[in-house]
């Protein structure tokens, strides 16, 4: 999967794993990828388990980057609050499809 693909990138120390695998571990930088693009569902794993979300958000020593669709983040009961704080601190950056076109 992703860990095997990342091994070929020659980034020493890069670790890709699920939230559950990070229990008790820390990293300098954590990128939390929220892959869902639709609104948050009642049975969302992070919505249903604040403990798992806590693990995801508390593993970064210096930098936490949350990547996800605005629709999902704004509708999530906890991530919406983090998004609002990030907006207030001018810490939200948008990637649009035209800007990403040259990345493929």
């Amino acid at each position: 999967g992703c860990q095997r693909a990342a091994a070929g990138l020659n980034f020493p120390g890069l670790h890709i794993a699920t939230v559950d695998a990070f229990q008790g571990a820390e990293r300098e930088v954590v990128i939390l990828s929220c892959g869902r693009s639709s609104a948050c569902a009642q049975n969302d794993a992070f919505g249903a388990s604040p403990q798992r979300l806590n693990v995801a958000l508390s593993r970064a020593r210096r930098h936490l980057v949350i990547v996800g669709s605005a629709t999902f983040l704004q509708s999530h009961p906890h991530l919406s609050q983090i998004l609002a704080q990030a907006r207030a601190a001018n810490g939200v950056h948008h990637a649009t499809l035209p800007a990403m076109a040259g990345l493929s």
Side-chain angles (χ1 to χ4, degrees), residues 41-87:
Q42 289 281 51
N43 61 350
D44 176 70
F46 285 143
S49 177
Q51 295 85 358
R52 290 183 76 216
L53 182 58
N54 181 55
V55 169
L57 297 175
S58 63
R59 300 300 104 179
R61 288 188 192 116
R62 294 179 184 235
H63 302 286
L64 172 65
V65 178
I66 301 173
V67 179
S69 81
T71 301
F72 175 74
L73 296 174
Q74 291 170 350
S75 67
H76 193 279
H78 305 294
L79 292 173
S80 61
Q81 296 172 30
I82 295 167
L83 181 62
Q85 289 179 1
R87 275 194 178 121

Side-chain angles (χ1 to χ4, degrees), residues 1-9 16-17:
C2 292
Q3 186 65 37
R4 193 172 11 163
L9 296 176
I16 298 173

